[in-house]
Amino acid sequence: MTRRSRISVCILALAIPLFFAFGLLAGGVEVGFADVIDALCGKADTKVSFIVVETRLPALATALFGSAALAVAGLLMQTCFNNPLAGPSIMGISTGASLGVAVVLLALGGLLGFWGRMALVAGAFMGAATVLAILLFFSGFVRSADILLIIGILTGYLSSSAISLLNYFATENSVHSFVMWGMGTFGGVGLDSLPLFASLTVLFMLLCIPYCKSLNAMLLGARYAESSGVPIKRTRSALLAISGALTATVTAWCGPIGFLGLVVPHIARLMCGTANHRVLLPATALAGAVLGLICQIASVAPSLATGAILPVNAITPLIGVPIIIYVLLNRHRLVYFS
């Protein structure tokens, strides 16, 4: 690891607790630092404890784990397809998860309470798994990464078409519920669901570690990777499966969060100045966690004045679009895939 990489990773690691602590203070109700400490220690009154422990703490933890998961999923896809614009939403996996939720909310009318939340999670997993199965099927005999990328894009279009049809025939209340879910939020995971959500995201991210050497070999092309002993088809299928699982997990609980999976790997590369996945993988996860915390804080910042909380998908493009434009304009000067 170079000195630049070490400094970048240290900065990201230190930024996480700082933004997390600031996020516990940010919101529509003013809560002091001492009140936050008391709430975390179980000494605060019921109102403050509910705000800090039941509301802000789960939302920030969800933003941390969910954004890190999406960032890692985006990194895997960009390397697999050797394309800086690949990501979970581009490959249709996010749209497939949205289709599963649309079936639950629009076709079945949705459910209330705990079982309603579990139905949404199950629908998102089923939708993402369907798209992932299609990609894995074609990856078995399609050698070209570009063709597989196009297949993913087309599958996403088909999922979007199905969602449009469900919207057309659904009731007004169902459409409203689906639109609100589609805006994306990190506040939908409660303390009861947080351990499961965090465990799944961490588990799937840990599964990427053994593939660092294969990912580095894939940067130099499929032929070089095969000559180095990397089974391209099997490795690509495994990485797609991990990416799909990460995306489905986050989309199931948070909705289709855009841009994070596309943008964060570029931020990590720019900060570390390397394409070595032994460094890039943890840096991407840390950068995703930091950016997720920033988005969560930005989404609740207006609530102090207006009482309204912004959807996450209204904030991520403001951060993501300038970075993508910079990458595209300076693509020939940025050594990403070498």
Side-chain angles (χ1 to χ4, degrees):
M1 183 182 292
T2 64
R3 183 173 181 270
R4 176 178 173 180
S5 299
R6 286 196 298 269
I7 293 174
S8 298
V9 170
C10 289
I11 290 174
L12 292 171
L14 292 173
I16 290 176
L18 292 177
F19 280 110
F20 198 98
F22 182 73
L24 292 174
L25 300 173
V29 179
E30 291 190 34
V31 178
F33 183 77
D35 294 329
V36 170
I37 299 298
D38 289 340
L40 294 177
C41 295
K43 299 179 181 179
D45 59 59
T46 304
K47 179 182 177 181
V48 175
S49 179
F50 176 80
I51 293 173
V52 175
V53 179
E54 300 287 337
T55 304
R56 295 181 184 177
L57 179 63
L60 290 167
T62 303
L64 190 155
F65 290 108
S67 299
L70 289 176
V72 170
L75 173 64
L76 297 181
M77 289 187 176
Q78 288 175 11
T79 303
C80 278
F81 299 106
N82 200 24
N83 190 322
L85 297 180
S89 57
I90 302 297
M91 292 300 300
I93 297 176
S94 295
T95 312
S98 298
L99 176 58
V101 172
V103 171
V104 175
L105 289 178
L106 302 179
L108 303 181
L111 298 171
L112 298 176
F114 172 80
W115 292 111
R117 169 60 61 182
M118 290 299 101
L120 293 182
V121 172
F125 267 103
M126 290 296 294
T130 301
V131 174
L132 183 60
I134 294 173
L135 293 177
L136 292 177
F137 170 76
F138 283 104
S139 68
F141 55 87
V142 172
R143 297 183 61 86
S144 173
D146 292 335
I147 294 178
L148 194 60
L149 181 62
I150 293 172
I151 291 173
I153 294 173
L154 294 177
T155 305
Y157 282 133
L158 289 175
S159 300
S160 296
S161 177
I163 292 173
S164 298
L165 290 173
L166 289 173
N167 271 307
Y168 182 80
F169 291 106
T171 63
E172 183 178 347
N173 289 336
S174 297
V175 172
H176 176 73
S177 299
F178 181 73
V179 170
M180 295 301 294
W181 175 86
M183 289 183 179
T185 178
F186 291 125
V189 181
L191 279 178
D192 55 341
S193 302
L194 183 60
L196 177 60
F197 176 80
S199 299
L200 288 175
T201 53
V202 171
L203 172 63
F204 292 137
M205 284 190 285
L206 289 176
L207 292 177
C208 304
I209 296 176
Y211 290 97
C212 286
K213 183 178 179 180
S214 299
L215 288 166
N216 288 337
M218 292 172 70
L219 291 176
L220 300 176
R223 290 185 178 180
Y224 176 84
E226 288 180 341
S227 66
S228 301
V230 177
I232 289 295
K233 292 182 179 179
R234 190 170 61 192
T235 301
R236 184 187 294 164
S237 298
L239 293 174
L240 282 176
I242 295 173
S243 300
L246 287 168
T247 305
T249 301
V250 178
T251 305
W253 270 281
C254 306
I257 306 296
F259 276 97
L260 291 180
L262 177 63
V263 171
V264 176
H266 294 292
I267 296 176
R269 293 188 188 100
L270 289 171
M271 291 185 67
C272 296
T274 181
N276 183 358
H277 285 78
R278 298 184 188 276
V279 177
L280 200 55
L281 189 62
T284 299
L286 291 173
V290 172
L291 191 59
L293 291 175
I294 292 174
C295 290
Q296 173 60 21
I297 293 171
S299 69
V300 301
S303 62
L304 189 60
T306 64
I309 297 178
L310 297 177
V312 176
N313 280 334
I315 298 170
T316 52
L318 300 177
I319 301 173
V321 170
I323 295 175
I324 294 300
I325 292 176
Y326 174 82
V327 169
L328 292 175
L329 293 179
N330 296 275
R331 187 174 179 180
H332 297 294
R333 293 195 301 107
L334 299 175
V335 183
Y336 275 1
F337 301 101
S338 63

